[in-house]
Amino acid sequence: MSGIREVEISDESIRLGQFLKLAGLAEDGVHARTLIEEGEVTVNGREETRRGKQLAPGDVIAVLGEKARLVSRSA
């Protein structure tokens, strides 16, 4: 089982689709949308189907076994 990577953002929040690209969990926006639509993405352990969901610092996003935690640089 892999550990949880921390991914920093400069703002207070970010949308799920943007975060997937930033964290390297999706290749691009189309890939992010496909992963979300196919139910491959969880936020804090719950399946998330909204690409525009606002994430907050501390949220843990998982895609196909890879996990990343959102960390705000301003926090």
Side-chain angles (χ1 to χ4, degrees), residues 2-66:
S2 62
I4 299 176
R5 266 186 308 133
E6 291 196 340
V7 178
E8 263 189 22
I9 63 168
S10 56
D11 296 323
E12 295 287 319
S13 66
I14 188 171
R15 293 183 190 278
L16 178 58
Q18 294 171 313
F19 182 82
L20 293 176
K21 293 182 290 183
L22 177 69
L25 297 171
E27 296 168 15
D28 54 30
V30 173
H31 187 219
R33 184 179 69 221
T34 301
L35 289 168
I36 293 166
E37 286 176 352
E38 292 180 354
E40 302 292 349
V41 179
T42 63
V43 177
N44 300 322
R46 299 183 70 173
E47 183 180 322
E48 182 54 63
T49 58
R50 298 169 294 165
R51 187 172 53 163
K53 172 168 177 58
Q54 288 287 337
L55 302 176
D59 284 346
V60 175
I61 295 78
V63 179
L64 302 173
E66 287 190 66

